[in-house]
Each structure stands twice: as structure tokens, then as C-alpha cells.
Amino acid sequence: MRAPDTPPSRPLLHHLPRVAAIGAIAIVPLVPGIPDFWITLAGYIGLSSLVAIGLVLLTGVGGMTSFGQAAFVGFGAYTTAVLTKDFGLSPWLTLPASLATTGAMALLIGAVTVRLSGHFLPLGTIAWGIAFFYLFGNVEALGRFDGINGIPPLDVFGTPLIDARAVFYPIWIAVILAVILSENLLDSRMGRAIRALRDGRLAAESFGIDTARVKLVVFVYAALLAGLSGWLYAHVQRAVSPSPFGLNAGIEYLLMAVLGGAGHVLGGVLGAGIVTLLKDQLQDVLPKLIGADGSFETIVFGILMVVVLQVARDGLWPLVMRLLPKAPPKTVAAGVPLPARTMPERGSPLLAVVNARKQFGGLVAVNDVSFKVKAGEIVGLIGPNGAGKSTTFNLLTGVLPATTGEITLSGERIERSSARAIARRGVARTFQHVKLARQMTVLENVALGAHLRGRAGVVAAMLRLDRADETRLLGEATRQLDRVGLGAHLHKPATSLALGQQRVAEIARALCLDPQLLLLDEPAAGLRFAEKQQLGALLARLRDEGVSILLVEHDMDFVMKLTDHIVVLDFGKKIAEGPPAAVAADPAVLEAYLGGVE
Ligand code: ADP
Ligand code: MG
């Protein structure tokens, strides 16, 4: 099997372009033939890269579009400008202060903004992008629209870093660190949570991930990178004024992230390079063409953004990636298994639903339904389409609040609990409409299910201190994928699987939670006969291990063979329940399914 004890030696070829890039960065300022002007431009590319990398995480990966990122650059820049000029602090000492101000502002703004849905979020970022521009421009202590001049340069052991070749290094060291930390972050337990924000939010919540908190974490992280850029900018430029921190700049930063490749950290650097160079050229050419002064490049950027969004949604980085040697998929070491939950005693009461009711306006989707699941049982929940089965699942898992009624899990009421709280109590589910994150591999999607069994947070992930934790989580995901028969598909994109296999991958994800109660919504739909038999055998084995299962399924053969007890719904009402054989012979059930054919 996979999972050898010693990781096999991996070809290192794929590291070559990065090593070469870092080497080039180290050498460029030392080449005397390169004019200062180009080194200065390269410095600006680095400064913008920091902001664009943050936007890659926020917008490209996390799905939160921000036009207001330049304001955070401003917080970083103005903080150090005031502290070094008015209070005489040394620039290096003000870095923590710049980051703290930016971080605090991001927490405040983010707490209000990231909860906005749909188009209100980008609109919100435009609003504060404009607001802070005018704030910077109207505060006396910040020099109003004239700004603050004469900011001291950075220095190393008393030597000031003044010329372009000298400041190039701190800028690009910051960029390299930002790339490494950001890539580390995305490739971690918290990174998977971030990557699930865009199209796996509901699933993420159902596996205990606090998506509102994760959004805020990304928001603050992106702002901190912008604040770092602002701090550097203030000491490179030696002057700050409001205009580089306004909405125009915010739009440019967003364009960099989108153009470069919104889903890839290095796409941010590529985008920053292209936009900065293009802007420099356009500022030369456009006024001559048009015959007037003005920031005409903004118009070109606007058009460019629309074109990119139309023809290359993933930006240009994927094109570059095709030319680079591919990294081999990471092997997953076996590692120590995660500790397992002690299952409740077989036959003890686990789940009790009493008069659960769900109304959508006038429609009663679940009409005062009551039933029980005992530990170690497989209970079938069947009924024609629209009977209220999936809605019942949503009530049990806290995805929807019940209108009235009681739901008890191991003696504790859960009908008012959140999806996260219920997940923590060992209830895992699959979805009738598959909810896997598209831009993640099968393995990463399944590992999301083990989120609550890991510890490592953002900082540990960025510094790669989370490897033991990671090995256990990915090891568990691998084990569960092997168990459901998808062990050969670990590193494929989740959506490359057939729909039936995607449902099975959702079962593996649910198993990663180490559930005591498993809710499966039509797990056998789309499976071939042999696959169904395999699935049936797996569910029977899980029951033997003490897992309780509530099963929604239309394949009657499958349900009859597997279940200990069946509950039948029709138009939201429970019309029958009992052992499989009795239910199959119940006239009310035949009536519901076959419309009264004898
Ligand atoms: P089943 O899973 O048994 O096929 P559902 O629980 O999905 O049935 O749906 C039960 C009824 O509730 C259907 O009439 C469906 O249209 C309705 N319904 C389900 N979810 C919603 C919702 N979010 N808003 C309004 N109506 C809904
Ligand atoms: Mg359904």
C-alpha cells in the first residue's frame, strides 16, 4: 500500500524555478548595467506584490472581493510616518506598531464587513475605501492632503538604506517570506478551511468549522500584508499622502490579484509585475495619445479587468504553471492514528425526535414528525420525492432551525444548536446535492471532515509547526478513503470523480469526523450494482463497530436489506414505521409510493 514508513526521495526538479528566482532576486541589484530606474520599478512591484498576495488569499481563495485594500496600506504607512516623524522612533521599532494598527482596523472593519453577503461585501469595501481616503486627507495630524514628508529611511547597523538598490532587499525579502508563509498557510488544516469558504461553506460548518471566524482570519491576514507593504512604502518613498491609499489604488491591487491568478499565491506577484510595468508604460504613452494629462491608465485597467474575468477567470498564473515542472503529489505517511470516540452502548437511546416541524412560509415540509434511533442501529428514512427527508436531515444537523419540536441527542436537546455544535457532538452527514470544494483534491476535501480532530492554527501552519498534526489528519483521510474504495483517487480534483464517487467521498469525509451518528442522504444514487454492494457491506461494518446510521435512500432493495427499522414520510408526515418487512407490506406505504395500486 501507499504510506511507507520512510518518505521516498522526491525529484527536486520542481524546486529549480523557485531557487533560480530567488537567486535572480539576490543578484539583480548587484548588476551595474541595470539602470536605477528599473530597480526602483522592481521595488514597487515588490511592494504591490505584498498587497496582491493578501488579495489572492482573500478574494481568489476565500471568495471575498475587496476594493478597499489600499486603505490598509495607508494604515501601515501613516502609523510609521507619525511615529518616526512626530515621536522620533526608529523605523524598525514601528513595524510592530504599523502591523498592530492595521490588524486592529482590519478586525474592526472585518467584523462588520465579512458577514455581508453577495454584492454587499464588495460594495462595503468600496465604501470604506473611499471613507478612509478622505479621513487620511482631512486629519490635521496626518498633514491633510499634503501628507507627511521627511520620513526617515530604514537603516542597517546605522547605514541608511536610501537608494533603490539598497531598499530593494528588505522589500523582496518581505515578498519571499510572504509567499512562503501564505503557501504554507493554504496547505494546512486552516488552509483547507479557508479554501472551503468559496463553495463549501455549508459543508465546512457541518464539520465544525467556524466559517465566520475563518473569514475574519483571512481578512486580517490580507490586511497585515497590506500594512507591511505600507510600512515599507513609507520608508522607501520617505513621504506619504492620501492618493496612493484611495479607491483607484484599491482597484489596481484587485486587478493584480485577478490578472495574475486569483487562486495562486505567486499569481499575486505575477499580477503585481504586469500591472506595475503596464501602468508605467501607459502613463508615458496615453497622455501623448490623448493629448491631455490625467490618470487614463485607470480606464485601461478597468477594461482589462472585465476582459480577464470574461476570458481567463483563473488569471495568467495557470498558464505559467504549465511551463514549470510539476511537483509530485505529496505522499501521506501512515502516522499515529487519531484517538477515537467511545461509542454509546449498543441499544441505548441515541437520537429522539419529538414532533419536529419545519415550515417554509405556508409549506409544511416536516409535519410534527417523531422517531428514535438507538445506538448501533441503521434506521431508514424513506418516502417519495418532496416528502421532507432532506429537510429532516437539515433539522437534525442544525443547518435549519426547527419551527417547533424537540430533538434530543444522548439525552441533550440540540434543536437550537448550531451545525458546528452538533458536529462536535459526533453527528456527521452527507448531502443529497454533493458539496465538495471544487478547487481541492479528494484527499483535501475528505480531510476537512477531520477538522475538529486537529489542533494546529494559523501561525503554526505558516511556520510549518503543524506537520505532526497534518500527518495525522491526512493519514486519517487516506484511511477513510481506502475504506470506501477511493484510495486510488487521493490527489485528483474532487470534481473529476463521477457523481456517485463524489457521494462516496462525502461518506469518507463524514467518517473522518469519527461520528457516533451518521446521516446519509441518498448515498447509493448513481452507483453501479457492485459499488452499491460494497457500500452496503461498509455500512453494515460501521454498524458492527457501533456507529448509528440514519439512511435516506430510494433503492428499496438496498434499504430493506440493510436497515433495522424504517420510518416512512409522505408530504412531511410520518405515515408508517417499523421493521423493514412490516413497512414493505403496509398499505399506507404502498399507497404513497404506488398511488394505491394493489
Ligand atoms: P425530500 O428530501 O424528501 O425529497 P425535501 O426535504 O427536500 O424532500 O423537501 C420537502 C419539501 O420542502 C419540498 O416541497 C421542498 O420543495 C420544500 N423545501 C425544501 N427546502 C426548502 C427551502 N429551503 N425553502 C422552501 N422550501 C423548501
Ligand atoms: Mg432529499
Side-chain angles (χ1 to χ4, degrees):
M1 272 192 40
R2 181 177 352 83
D5 289 325
T6 49
S9 64
R10 288 201 258 145
L12 295 172
L13 187 68
H14 67 281
H15 288 305
L16 210 63
R18 285 170 179 242
V19 174
I22 291 177
I25 288 169
I27 290 170
V28 158
L30 305 176
V31 180
I34 300 177
D36 273 355
F37 171 75
W38 287 104
I39 304 287
T40 306
L41 217 51
Y44 283 126
I45 292 172
L47 290 173
S48 297
S49 294
L50 290 170
V51 188
I53 289 169
L55 272 175
V56 162
L57 267 72
L58 184 67
T59 303
V61 179
M64 289 170 276
T65 304
S66 169
F67 289 94
Q69 222 57 13
F72 294 119
V73 185
F75 293 133
Y78 272 107
T79 303
T80 191
V82 170
L83 289 179
T84 49
K85 270 276 309 227
D86 297 351
F87 295 89
L89 292 182
S90 135
W92 294 108
L93 289 180
T94 63
L95 177 57
S98 277
L99 294 180
T101 312
T102 314
M105 291 307 294
L107 266 180
L108 271 175
I109 297 170
V112 198
T113 315
V114 297
R115 283 165 197 276
L116 297 176
S117 58
H119 295 306
F120 292 109
L121 174 68
L123 285 178
T125 66
I126 291 175
W128 50 256
I130 295 173
F132 285 111
F133 171 74
Y134 284 106
L135 182 76
F136 294 142
N138 283 295
V139 174
E140 186 65 55
L142 301 183
R144 296 181 178 273
F145 281 99
D146 295 330
I148 299 172
N149 294 310
I151 301 168
L154 296 175
D155 66 282
V156 177
F157 303 118
T159 314
L161 306 180
I162 294 180
D163 71 62
R165 287 170 200 270
V167 290
F168 179 93
Y169 285 109
I171 293 173
W172 277 94
I173 289 171
V175 174
I176 291 168
L177 286 178
V179 169
I180 294 171
L181 296 182
S182 303
E183 288 191 341
N184 285 352
L185 175 57
L186 288 180
D187 177 31
S188 73
R189 169 176 175 267
M190 280 303 286
R192 286 187 291 274
I194 294 169
R195 292 157 68 199
L197 286 176
R198 210 158 70 167
D199 55 12
R201 205 190 61 80
L202 181 59
E205 285 279 334
S206 296
F207 288 98
I209 295 167
D210 185 345
T211 54
R213 185 178 158 266
V214 174
K215 280 182 173 182
L216 195 58
V217 165
V218 189
F219 191 80
V220 171
Y221 180 73
L224 286 176
L225 286 179
L228 172 62
S229 174
W231 175 81
L232 281 162
Y233 172 89
H235 297 293
V236 170
Q237 197 70 11
R238 316 271 307 277
V240 295
S241 67
S243 58
F245 314 127
L247 190 59
N248 272 356
I251 293 171
E252 276 173 35
Y253 288 131
L254 189 59
L255 175 63
M256 291 171 189
V258 171
L259 183 69
H264 306 272
V265 172
L266 282 171
V269 181
L270 178 68
I274 295 174
V275 172
T276 307
L277 295 176
L278 197 62
K279 185 175 174 179
D280 175 65
Q281 293 299 311
L282 290 175
Q283 278 177 340
D284 263 2
V285 175
L286 285 182
K288 285 181 203 149
L289 275 182
I290 298 171
D293 278 346
S295 330
F296 299 116
E297 71 275 5
T298 308
I299 302 167
V300 177
F301 287 163
I303 296 168
L304 199 56
M305 176 111 79
V306 173
V307 171
V308 171
L309 289 176
Q310 291 290 337
V311 302
R313 291 222 79 143
D314 295 331
L316 299 177
W317 187 255
L319 303 180
V320 176
M321 240 174 10
R322 269 191 240 158
L323 305 175
L324 300 176
K326 260 183 114 165
K330 279 186 295 180
T331 47
V332 180
V336 194
L338 291 164
R341 193 187 303 276
T342 41
M343 292 295 165
E345 196 185 330
R346 184 172 299 280
S348 61
L350 179 65
L351 178 76
V353 181
V354 181
N355 291 328
R357 185 180 185 84
K358 184 65 191 178
Q359 287 178 219
F360 297 110
L363 175 81
V364 187
V366 178
N367 194 344
D368 297 337
V369 168
S370 304
F371 64 92
K372 287 184 172 144
V373 176
K374 286 192 282 225
E377 253 186 352
I378 300 181
V379 173
L381 184 62
I382 66 169
N385 273 328
K389 306 177 298 290
S390 294
T391 306
T392 302
F393 268 27
N394 286 337
L395 301 184
L396 296 178
T397 52
V399 167
L400 291 173
T403 309
T404 54
E406 293 172 13
I407 302 169
T408 311
L409 182 71
S410 310
E412 281 180 49
R413 298 274 291 269
I414 58 165
E415 73 267 8
R416 291 279 158 262
S417 303
S418 66
R420 266 183 286 135
I422 293 173
R424 226 173 288 130
R425 310 213 30 201
V427 179
R429 67 174 295 180
T430 64
F431 295 88
Q432 181 182 352
H433 303 288
V434 174
K435 295 192 193 314
L436 297 172
R438 266 175 300 154
Q439 65 293 357
M440 280 158 67
T441 63
V442 174
L443 179 69
E444 289 168 333
N445 266 292
V446 170
L448 208 60
H451 187 86
L452 288 174
R453 301 169 80 189
R455 289 271 85 80
V458 174
V459 178
M462 290 196 293
L463 301 177
R464 275 289 191 252
L465 300 173
D466 62 341
R467 292 300 99 179
D469 200 59
E470 264 304 270
T471 305
R472 280 194 295 272
L473 295 186
L474 294 178
E476 174 72 7
T478 308
R479 230 178 338 265
Q480 300 300 353
L481 276 163
D482 275 335
R483 197 176 188 191
V484 300
L486 289 178
H489 304 285
L490 303 188
H491 302 292
K492 291 183 186 166
T495 43
S496 72
L497 297 182
L499 196 59
Q501 291 182 316
Q502 292 187 30
R503 293 176 176 287
V504 175
E506 283 212 344
I507 298 175
R509 178 173 66 186
L511 290 176
C512 277
L513 183 97
D514 187 23
Q516 55 172 333
L517 176 62
L518 189 56
L519 309 183
L520 304 177
D521 203 343
E522 306 195 13
L527 294 190
R528 281 173 288 211
F529 182 70
E531 292 171 325
K532 276 190 193 180
Q533 282 188 315
Q534 230 186 346
L535 177 63
L538 171 68
L539 298 189
R541 218 176 329 131
L542 288 169
R543 166 176 51 193
D544 294 342
E545 290 169 16
V547 180
S548 317
I549 299 171
L550 188 59
L551 174 70
V552 167
E553 184 47 60
H554 284 300
D555 183 331
M556 278 310 129
D557 238 22
F558 190 84
V559 174
M560 291 297 161
K561 277 196 195 125
L562 211 56
T563 52
D564 303 292
H565 189 89
I566 292 179
V567 175
V568 189
L569 298 183
D570 191 21
F571 291 114
K573 273 207 154 88
K574 183 173 82 178
I575 56 165
E577 92 174 291
V583 163
D586 192 310
V589 177
L590 293 173
E591 167 80 27
Y593 266 91
L594 305 170
V597 179
E598 294 288 312

